[in-house]
Amino acid sequence: MFNVSVDNKEFKVAENLSIRDFSKKYFNNNKIVAAKINGNLKDLSDNISENCKLSFITVNQIEGLEILRHSCAHLLGHALKQIHPEVKMVIGPVINNGFYYDVLTEKPISESELPEIEKLMRKLSKKNYNIVREVVGRDRAIQVFKDREEDYKLKLIDDIPNDETIAIYHHEEYIDMCRGPHLVNTNLLKHFKLMKVSGSYWRGDSKNQSLQRIYGTAWDTEKSLSDHLKKL
């Protein structure tokens, strides 16, 4: 058993209990999207494996919104690979009020395609599929992305220090690599919009391969999304 402290309340927790199961058992708050254990960010799918202080992150907090937006970037990748299987995924970070994904494609993606991509994103999100985190070794990560012909993910693996954890996230047939944390399910990915397409470069260097960057915004409520779009 582990001793877990949440807001000065003490809980006895069985070994191998996930943070998600712990939160459901004692708190039942569907806005919880991640947690911190002794100050370290964790996916809800992670197990509680030590005596600790635990704090929850909800989707209406800044850190929670960032997690939602990061998962929405993965949802964009999922949809994009279904429409354009040949696209090479590069990086998809969170930015102020949203996210983007850099991709390499022989045929440029136009802004006129964004409504189609967004429509598929909504269709996928409504399936409420689980986003599954898998910690893998370097050899396994390399094999996964070799099989998927994701050249830039392989370049990113080369940059990861040997002592750093490598995690891949499964979105049904789509696989991405990320430090996380991420949502454990797509059921909170409802209020988003793809905004524009622009050019970019690998590692931000104009001497490197030119890429395309797809921008999006994502929020925890429809009102927050609407208010944001009205300000633009």
Side-chain angles (χ1 to χ4, degrees), residues 25 43 47 51 57 76 96 118 147 166 176 204 216 224 227:
K25 182 175 181 179
D43 285 80
N47 288 340
N51 298 327
I57 296 170
L76 166 59
N96 188 34
E118 188 178 307
D147 291 346
I166 300 176
D176 214 329
S224 295
D227 290 346

Side-chain angles (χ1 to χ4, degrees), residues 24 27 55 66 72 92 130 170 172 202-203 212 215 227:
K24 283 184 174 182
F27 297 91
S55 59
E66 289 179 347
C72 206
N130 289 330
H170 298 262
E172 295 189 318
W202 169 238
R203 300 195 189 282
Q212 280 199 289
Y215 288 91
D227 290 346

Side-chain angles (χ1 to χ4, degrees), residues 14-230:
E15 293 184 19
N16 298 320
L17 184 71
S18 72
I19 301 170
R20 184 186 193 185
D21 289 341
F22 172 71
S23 69
K24 283 184 174 182
K25 182 175 181 179
Y26 294 108
F27 297 91
N28 197 28
N29 181 348
N30 60 11
K31 292 184 180 293
I32 293 173
V33 295
K36 288 184 178 179
I37 289 183
N38 295 332
N40 298 312
L41 267 174
K42 298 289 183 178
D43 285 80
L44 290 182
S45 60
D46 286 337
N47 288 340
I48 297 171
S49 58
E50 59 182 325
N51 298 327
C52 63
K53 288 186 177 181
L54 186 150
S55 59
F56 291 113
I57 296 170
T58 57
V59 71
N60 53 338
Q61 295 175 298
I62 292 175
E63 285 177 301
L65 269 177
E66 289 179 347
I67 291 166
L68 180 144
R69 288 165 179 160
H70 207 168
S71 295
C72 206
H74 281 207
L75 182 66
L76 166 59
H78 190 179
L80 194 59
K81 290 291 281 190
Q82 286 195 1
I83 297 171
H84 297 289
E86 76 285 356
V87 164
K88 308 292 185 186
M89 309 306 296
V90 185
I91 57 170
V94 172
I95 55 174
N96 188 34
N97 294 326
F99 60 91
Y100 69 77
Y101 219 125
D102 281 352
V103 300
L104 176 63
T105 176
E106 293 182 6
K107 181 182 177 182
I109 296 168
S110 69
E111 291 192 354
S112 64
E113 291 183 74
L114 295 186
E116 177 190 3
I117 299 168
E118 188 178 307
K119 182 179 179 181
L120 180 53
M121 289 172 66
R122 296 190 187 284
K123 181 179 178 181
L124 290 169
S125 69
K126 287 177 182 177
K127 294 172 73 174
N128 292 342
Y129 65 74
N130 289 330
I131 300 171
V132 180
R133 181 176 188 259
E134 180 189 4
V135 174
V136 298
R138 183 175 299 270
D139 290 345
R140 159 89 168 131
I142 290 170
Q143 191 59 57
V144 166
F145 292 106
K146 273 187 177 178
D147 291 346
R148 295 180 64 82
E149 298 181 351
E150 292 287 6
D151 301 339
Y152 285 88
K153 299 298 180 182
L154 294 172
K155 294 177 188 288
L156 292 171
I157 292 170
D158 286 341
D159 293 340
I160 299 174
N162 289 330
D163 59 349
E164 188 170 313
T165 298
I166 300 176
I168 60 177
Y169 286 82
H170 298 262
H171 299 244
E172 295 189 318
E173 84 288 351
Y174 178 68
I175 301 175
D176 214 329
M177 181 175 63
C178 190
R179 288 189 181 92
H182 278 280
L183 303 179
V184 292
N185 189 280
T186 59
N187 58 4
L188 289 177
L189 295 176
K190 299 175 182 177
H191 315 293
F192 57 83
K193 183 173 178 58
L194 298 183
M195 303 300 294
K196 64 179 181 178
V197 179
S198 72
S200 63
Y201 296 98
W202 169 238
R203 300 195 189 282
D205 189 337
S206 61
K207 295 178 182 178
N208 290 338
Q209 175 68 53
S210 60
L211 306 168
Q212 280 199 289
R213 178 170 294 177
I214 302 174
Y215 288 91
T217 188
W219 298 82
D220 59 319
T221 67
E222 189 63 32
K223 184 180 185 304
S224 295
L225 173 61
S226 178
D227 290 346
H228 172 71
L229 295 177
K230 286 176 183 176

